[in-house]
Amino acid sequence: MADDDIILSELSDDDLVLQMHDDLYDGLREEIEEGVGILLERGWSPYDVLTRALVAGMTIVGADFRDGILFVPEVLLAANAMKGGMAILKPLLIATGAPRMGKMVIGTVKGDIHDIGKNLVAMMMEGAGFEVVDLGINNAVEKYLDALEREGADILGMSALLTTTMPYMKVVIDTLKERGIRENYIVLVGGAPLNEEFGRAIGADAYCRDAAVAVETAKSFILRKHNALNA
Amino acid sequence: MTLSDAELSEAGLSPAHQGRVLLIACGALAREILALKAANGWDHLDLTCLPANLHLRPERITEAVSTAVAEHRADYDGVFVVYADCGTGGQLAARCAELGVEMVAGPHCYAFYEGNDVFAAKAEDEFRAFYLTDFLVRQFDAFVWRPMGLDRYPSLRDTYFGNYDRLIYQAQTDDPALDAAARDAAERLGLAYERRFTGYGELATTLARL
């Protein structure tokens, strides 16, 4: 049977989830939205739909991107499909009190308008249960600091695509230090020209090479923070 | 010498083994360097180019340059790397310093064509600009349109370019055909168009010192 003959509502739960993984991989937003709706109608919790259908599907996309099997355009289409599903789930996740991992303020640094990677990170962080406050592009230090304080955030995420703008991350971190609040936040940085050495040199907690790594790194730092608080 | 942009993109250029200083350059600069060499009689400079399409995977540039330096340096009195930082996040500069070879100053060719200081001074006003050079205008489909998947998924255009407001074509030469092609590229990307003649900028002054 050809893919376009598949009737999602006639699939078993397991087959539907697998089909949604395929549809995410192929960037089929309408099919993902339909699949999310079907699973919810069948009584799935929004959290289960999110994790088992969407996040699990995007994890496959992320792995194939990392391994050079998928490329940026295909990842963007997959992300767009996931976004469609997330838009349905987000209000339901809030209403049903799904587990929250922590809160992240994220933005592209001053002088930089590139937001593709940053948007992917924000979406995957939301998928992993983080609350994300996205400041968008071209953020000056005060905008980051205001948002961190206002939102009571746990994590600061900064992104840059340009060699000329990435040093601005250090300006933000140095300002956090000057104000004595650096240790209040987990600082994660990312962007194409960055590397681990740069992350260390500017005083970030970690450099994250892609969205999947950002999620895992954030989870591990949050866990450590909780363990330290409970010790 | 006949140069094919496709070859410069995919394979690069082998040295002619004439001249005592070897330039290890990005394929996107080959025509410009050879034009400068011819115009100034710089017979002491030989040229080899790495494939220009390394710019699609900038994390590979440092290793590729390093390998080329190792391969050729024994055959010349000196080697000079004709790359700027080019998205390597300082890694190329660090490697060149380790290897004891010099390279072009600046973040990328858009900056050194215009002049690094001038380019930096305009950054506040132009950070929403997308730049093309002569090479990139000729290779727009191979370096922008197809790698970004815009031939297959035109709906992604605004995902990539929604935050840009204009395309600035930095012209190294006066060529009405390239001007028209650059204008067409701007239209395809949904951006305003501006042509700015830069000539060879600091590429010329840098090579003149060698």
Side-chain angles (χ1 to χ4, degrees), chain B residues 1-126:
Chain B
M1 185 190 303
T2 313
L3 288 177
S4 132
D5 281 328
E7 268 182 44
L8 290 171
S9 298
E10 306 281 335
L13 178 73
S14 300
H17 296 290
Q18 292 165 353
R20 56 188 169 74
V21 176
L22 179 66
L23 305 175
I24 297 176
C26 169
L29 303 173
R31 287 174 190 269
E32 290 70 19
I33 292 170
L34 290 174
L36 281 165
K37 221 167 100 63
N40 295 290
W42 292 336
D43 295 333
H44 62 295
L45 300 180
D46 195 3
L47 174 66
T48 185
C49 291
L50 301 179
N53 66 12
L54 276 173
H55 278 291
L56 300 174
R57 303 296 302 270
E59 73 277 10
R60 296 181 181 175
I61 290 176
T62 302
E63 274 315 309
V65 168
S66 212
T67 303
V69 170
E71 185 184 342
H72 295 296
R73 75 185 312 172
D75 300 332
Y76 294 86
D77 291 347
V79 165
F80 187 83
V81 172
V82 196
Y83 274 86
D85 179 75
C86 297
T88 65
Q91 291 193 324
L92 180 59
R95 184 66 63 86
C96 283
E98 267 172 44
L99 296 170
V101 294
E102 286 188 85
M103 62 183 277
V104 182
H108 36 60
C109 59
Y110 317 127
F112 67 64
Y113 275 140
E114 185 140 8
N116 282 313
D117 290 344
V118 175
F119 189 86
K122 288 179 177 172
E124 289 257 331
D125 296 327
E126 293 191 357

Side-chain angles (χ1 to χ4, degrees), chain A residues 71-74 76-77 110-116 137-138 161-164 166 192-195 197-198, chain B residues 57 85-91 107-108 124 127-129 146-149 152-153 155-156 159-160 163-164:
Chain A
F71 297 95
V72 171
E74 288 76 23
L76 289 177
L77 290 176
K110 187 179 171 189
D112 203 320
I113 59 169
H114 300 92
D115 60 2
I116 288 173
I137 57 172
N138 187 30
L161 186 79
L162 304 175
T163 301
T164 46
M166 62 190 226
L194 277 69
N195 53 59
E197 196 184 333
F198 175 79
Chain B
R57 303 296 302 270
D85 179 75
C86 297
T88 65
Q91 291 193 324
H108 36 60
E124 289 257 331
F127 70 96
R128 289 179 185 275
R146 289 199 298 271
M148 289 186 159
R152 289 160 288 149
Y153 318 114
S155 65
L156 287 178
T159 304
Y160 291 119
N163 293 331
Y164 288 92

